[in-house]
């Protein structure tokens, strides 16, 4: 059997692109398939937030490493991803939110996140644009955001320079196991490789079915909006304790507003639909946090699909029972943590010991009554309510 490639990756988001980049730079002949354009699904329609405040506790050590990667993206990626490192605030306006904020900030601080609880006065010193009514705030200096569009452009250039055979607009219809590797099925015929990575985001469930494995993947339909360019109204990343707000102003003046308000859509049918009531609620919350936004006009709103496993922890590691096959995706707050988790998987594929443990999917394939892995247990026990960006 001819195996022209050492590694085939299906899915061209942040995870797939990062695995491809590091493996190609290490000398692997790598081909990457993306049915559309690189980094234009979940990796291209999110709010670009890089934050510890909305990252699950079990992922904080990974998110810290990933934040350092984002902050130095120009060096290791080789191109500008529009990253801004700044302070972040999570706000509490009610007593219930005070309790929630205190609990979550404490757990994340225990996990290593540099988060301090501060008074409203102290929070306003960090972010003068805050509205009235703040009872307590969690302040984190390891926060910031990237430009999702520029990130895709940066990865595109880096992959080409690394020698990756980048095949955009190339849907994959299936994968077959063969002696010595895998045959990736495309409209132009099969492409063979010794190793395989499935990195298809919300479509991982269908991809795993190609290999005869059932892996349920939950689909979230997150709504976001962006304002016209306005005069500076804020200088930090702002959220609230419930996780229903993600707010930042880019250097050119637009303000991106998110927080996981749900739209409509599904992965099988394709396409997404905004829910006006959710959009209005999200905007009201944003204006409550930063009152100057009341004078800004919305330029655009959109929705994007986000994948989540049953325990909201990543699917990253070898695929059980199938040598040389790997999965990478479904990382909660994946835009923050994704590059680091994908780099860990690249280390594993290259025969190295990953710097931190991966998240094998064995736990997700067991019976529902089975006990979760220690890392999964930590994540759920300390932070039950997922927060989406």
């Amino acid at each position: 059997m001819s195996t022209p490639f050492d590694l085939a990756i299906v899915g061209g988001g942040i995870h797939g692109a990062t695995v491809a980049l590091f493996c190609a730079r290490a000398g692997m002949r790598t081909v990457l398939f993306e049915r559309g354009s690189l980094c234009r699904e979940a990796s291209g329609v999110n709010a670009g937030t890089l934050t510890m405040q909305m990252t699950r506790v079990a992922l904080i050590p990974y998110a810290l490493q990933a934040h350092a990667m984002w902050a130095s993206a120009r060096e290791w990626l080789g191109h500008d991803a529009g990253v801004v490192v700044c302070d972040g605030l999570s706000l509490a306006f009610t007593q219930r939110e005070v309790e929630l904020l205190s609990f979550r900030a404490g757990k994340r601080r225990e996990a290593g996140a540099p988060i301090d609880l501060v008074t409203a006065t102290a929070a306003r010193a960090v972010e003068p644009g805050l509205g009235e009514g703040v009872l307590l705030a969690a302040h984190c200096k390891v926060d910031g955001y990237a430009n999702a569009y520029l990130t895709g452009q940066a990865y595109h250039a880096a992959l080409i320079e690394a020698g990756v055979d980048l095949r955009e607009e190339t849907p994959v219809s299936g994968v077959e196991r063969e002696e010595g590797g895998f045959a990736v099925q495309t409209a132009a015929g099969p492409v063979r490789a010794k190793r395989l990575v499935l990195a298809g985001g919300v479509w991982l469930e269908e991809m795993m079915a190609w290999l005869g494995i059932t892996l349920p993947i939950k689909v979230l339909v997150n709504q976001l909006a962006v304002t016209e360019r306005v005069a500076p109204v804020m200088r930090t990343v702002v959220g609230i304790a419930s996780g229903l707000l993600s707010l930042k102003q880019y250097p050119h003046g637009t303000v991106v507003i998110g927080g996981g308000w749900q739209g409509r859509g599904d992965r099988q049918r394709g396409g997404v639909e905004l829910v006006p009531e959710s959009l209005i609620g999200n905007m009201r919350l944003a204006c409550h946090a930063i009152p100057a936004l009341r004078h800004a006009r919305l330029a655009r709103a959109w929705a994007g699909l986000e994948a989540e496993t049953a325990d909201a922890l990543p699917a990253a590691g070898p695929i059980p029972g199938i040598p040389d096959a790997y999965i990478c995706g479904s990382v909660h707050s994946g835009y923050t943590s994704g590059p680091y988790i994908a780099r860990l998987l690249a280390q594993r594929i290259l025969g190295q010991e990953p710097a931190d443990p991966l998240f094998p999917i064995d736990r997700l394939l067991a019976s529902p009554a089975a006990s979760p892995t220690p890392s999964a247990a930590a994540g759920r026990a300390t932070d039950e309510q997922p927060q989406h960006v």
Side-chain angles (χ1 to χ4, degrees):
M1 183 186 74
S2 173
T3 54
F5 294 102
D6 296 315
L7 175 65
I9 298 171
V10 184
I14 292 294
H15 295 99
T18 303
V19 173
L21 182 63
F22 283 101
C23 287
R25 284 178 175 174
M28 280 193 172
R29 297 165 297 163
T30 302
V31 57
L32 172 60
F33 299 95
E34 166 56 45
R35 70 174 187 174
S37 299
L38 191 76
C39 295
R40 292 308 299 161
E41 294 288 353
S43 296
V45 296
N46 66 85
T49 308
L50 310 174
T51 180
M52 304 301 117
Q53 308 237 38
M54 288 178 281
T55 294
R56 297 184 75 80
V57 171
L59 293 182
I60 289 294
Y62 298 81
L64 288 168
Q65 295 285 348
H67 192 282
M69 287 182 68
W70 281 112
S72 62
R74 191 185 293 272
E75 286 74 39
W76 66 267
L77 192 54
H79 299 274
D80 182 21
V83 176
V84 174
V85 175
C86 64
D87 290 13
L89 291 169
S90 183
L91 311 175
F93 290 99
T94 68
Q95 190 55 44
R96 169 57 183 152
E97 289 176 349
V98 167
E99 296 170 1
L100 192 63
L101 192 69
S102 301
F103 175 75
R104 288 179 170 170
K107 291 298 181 183
R108 287 174 174 132
R109 187 166 54 246
E110 290 174 6
I115 298 176
D116 295 316
L117 294 174
V118 299
T119 65
T121 300
R124 195 159 286 108
V126 175
E127 178 51 78
L130 290 182
E132 298 298 324
V134 175
L135 299 179
L136 188 70
H139 175 218
C140 183
K141 285 187 171 295
V142 182
D143 218 319
Y145 52 88
N147 182 310
Y149 176 75
L150 289 181
T151 299
Q153 297 294 306
Y155 267 97
H156 190 284
L159 290 174
I160 296 299
E161 290 167 358
V164 174
D165 188 334
L166 179 57
R167 302 194 184 186
E168 297 176 281
E169 311 296 336
T170 306
V172 171
S173 59
V175 171
E176 296 177 4
R177 298 172 63 186
E178 297 182 344
E179 182 180 356
F182 302 87
V184 179
Q185 303 298 329
T186 73
V191 178
R192 293 184 165 85
K194 296 177 182 176
R195 304 171 186 82
L196 172 72
V197 174
L198 300 180
V202 298
W203 293 275
L204 278 172
E205 184 170 331
E206 285 80 0
M207 291 181 177
M208 291 295 286
W210 296 339
L211 301 173
I213 294 176
T214 300
L215 177 66
I217 297 293
K218 180 181 177 182
V219 179
L220 307 172
V221 188
N222 297 325
Q223 292 192 170
L224 298 103
V226 63
T227 72
E228 61 182 350
R229 296 186 180 190
V230 296
V233 297
M234 59 187 301
R235 61 192 188 194
T236 64
V237 173
V238 171
I240 63 172
S242 65
L244 290 174
L245 181 65
S246 165
L247 192 59
K248 84 277 296 181
Q249 185 169 25
Y250 281 78
H252 55 267
T254 62
V255 178
V256 173
I257 305 169
W261 293 68
Q262 294 294 284
R264 300 189 185 95
D266 64 72
R267 62 189 175 211
Q268 285 83 14
R269 177 173 57 87
V272 292
E273 179 182 353
L274 295 174
V275 175
E277 295 78 9
S278 295
L279 182 62
I280 292 171
N282 197 183
M283 298 309 107
R284 284 176 172 168
L285 199 55
C287 293
H288 183 62
I290 303 292
L293 281 175
R294 294 169 184 162
H295 305 293
R297 295 180 297 182
L298 279 189
R300 186 168 70 94
W302 68 95
L305 305 182
E306 180 183 8
E308 187 173 276
T309 63
D311 61 9
L313 289 174
I319 295 175
I322 304 180
D324 296 321
Y326 305 85
I327 185 171
C328 191
S330 298
V331 181
H332 189 257
S333 293
Y335 204 72
T336 300
S337 304
Y340 183 64
I341 290 176
R343 191 174 72 178
L344 293 176
L345 181 61
Q347 290 173 337
R348 171 64 185 268
I349 293 170
L350 291 167
Q352 305 165 1
E353 182 65 28
D356 280 304
L358 290 167
F359 293 83
I361 61 171
D362 306 62
R363 71 188 195 279
L364 302 169
L365 304 180
S367 67
S371 298
T373 61
S375 59
R380 292 186 63 79
T382 55
D383 197 3
E384 284 291 336
Q385 299 299 318
Q387 301 172 345
H388 309 297
V389 179

